[in-house]
Amino acid sequence: MFTNATPLFPQGVVGTYHHENYVLDPSLIEHFETTRAGEGIQSTQLKREAFENILDEEVLTPIRDFIVDSLRHYLQEVASMPYEEFWFTSSWLNFTTTDGHQNYHNHTNSIISGVYYVYSDEKDPGLTFRKEHRSHKPYITLYTNTANMIHADHAEVPTKTGDLIIFPSHMIHGYGASKSSNTRISLAWNILLNQPEHLAPEGWYHIRFAK
């Protein structure tokens, strides 16, 4: 008699949020300097250095506030991760045109990352997460009849204007070619955080980051 099927050891929990009734006027950010960041992608991340933070711009304050509120919920209610403080180590805008795409990658020197979609329409690709194949993969790969949360190698999270996706920075992600004639505008970011040492399990190795 079958009793239960339990997925074990997920690679990370993705949180999705939506910024209700808010649309940023694109003219407020069109003056930002950008550089090529990939096929069909322009980015404000000019030097790819820590503390290159587009969220420090005053015109983006409503988006920053929404991200901060969503992060608090994600850390406390979704990830169940105690923290004393968190801060943005980097943030940048990406402008993706027709056929623009982003190769699979993850974010180093970061704990939690996210993407806020300033503008995205129905012809834009979602954000796809890919499973890392390590010791949990059999040496002989077998196919399955269905793709679900247990068997799938990748999963796509659809996006629209005002959506925010939060995920652990180590997770592999990217997106396919955009089929939209409009420019998709997304705002990506990374954070570090410090946890309260007095709440750590006994014998737990404690790391503290300095701003």
Side-chain angles (χ1 to χ4, degrees):
M1 179 180 68
F2 176 78
T3 58
N4 192 28
T6 304
L8 294 177
F9 314 123
Q11 294 189 331
V13 179
V14 175
T16 56
Y17 299 82
H18 185 70
H19 202 176
E20 294 285 352
N21 304 319
Y22 177 79
V23 178
L24 178 70
D25 182 353
S27 67
L28 297 176
I29 57 175
E30 63 184 11
H31 66 283
F32 291 149
E33 185 180 358
T34 62
T35 188
R36 187 180 185 278
E39 187 66 36
I41 303 174
Q42 291 288 123
S43 174
T44 61
Q45 196 178 32
L46 304 178
K47 300 179 181 179
R48 297 184 179 273
E49 295 177 353
F51 302 109
E52 193 175 4
N53 263 317
I54 199 71
L55 280 172
D56 290 338
E57 296 287 340
E58 186 175 354
V59 295
L60 297 175
T61 297
I63 293 176
R64 181 189 178 99
D65 291 345
F66 173 72
I67 293 173
V68 168
D69 288 344
S70 301
L71 259 170
R72 290 183 179 131
H73 177 271
Y74 177 87
L75 292 171
Q76 294 170 356
E77 305 299 332
V78 179
S80 190
M81 187 181 297
Y83 67 92
E84 286 182 351
E85 58 179 347
F86 62 79
W87 63 94
F88 295 100
T89 56
S90 57
S91 57
W92 61 98
L93 286 164
N94 285 334
F95 300 85
T96 303
T97 55
T98 305
D99 292 328
H101 62 275
Q102 192 169 62
N103 294 331
Y104 285 112
H105 65 286
N106 60 6
H107 296 195
T108 58
N109 299 317
S110 174
I111 295 176
I112 302 295
S113 299
V115 186
Y116 177 87
Y117 292 87
V118 179
Y119 178 81
S120 181
D121 66 31
E122 66 279 359
K123 293 185 178 180
D124 283 315
L127 187 63
T128 298
F129 292 89
R130 190 182 70 185
K131 182 186 293 183
E132 291 185 85
H133 295 304
R134 292 184 177 174
S135 59
H136 65 272
K137 190 77 173 179
Y139 290 112
I140 299 174
T141 301
L142 305 176
Y143 64 85
T144 58
N145 291 325
T146 59
N148 54 35
M149 64 182 297
I150 299 174
H151 305 303
D153 289 326
H154 63 277
E156 180 177 320
V157 179
T159 63
K160 61 181 181 296
T161 299
D163 281 354
L164 170 65
I165 301 176
I166 301 176
F167 52 91
S169 301
H170 70 270
M171 292 184 69
I172 304 294
H173 60 283
Y175 56 85
S178 173
K179 299 306 178 186
S180 175
S181 59
N182 300 307
T183 298
R184 179 164 77 176
I185 306 173
S186 57
L187 194 160
W189 48 265
N190 298 319
I191 68 161
L192 286 175
L193 61 83
N194 283 320
Q195 294 191 289
E197 189 169 1
H198 70 280
L199 295 180
E202 185 177 355
W204 193 265
Y205 186 73
H206 192 80
I207 297 176
R208 190 164 189 86
F209 296 100
K211 290 185 180 181

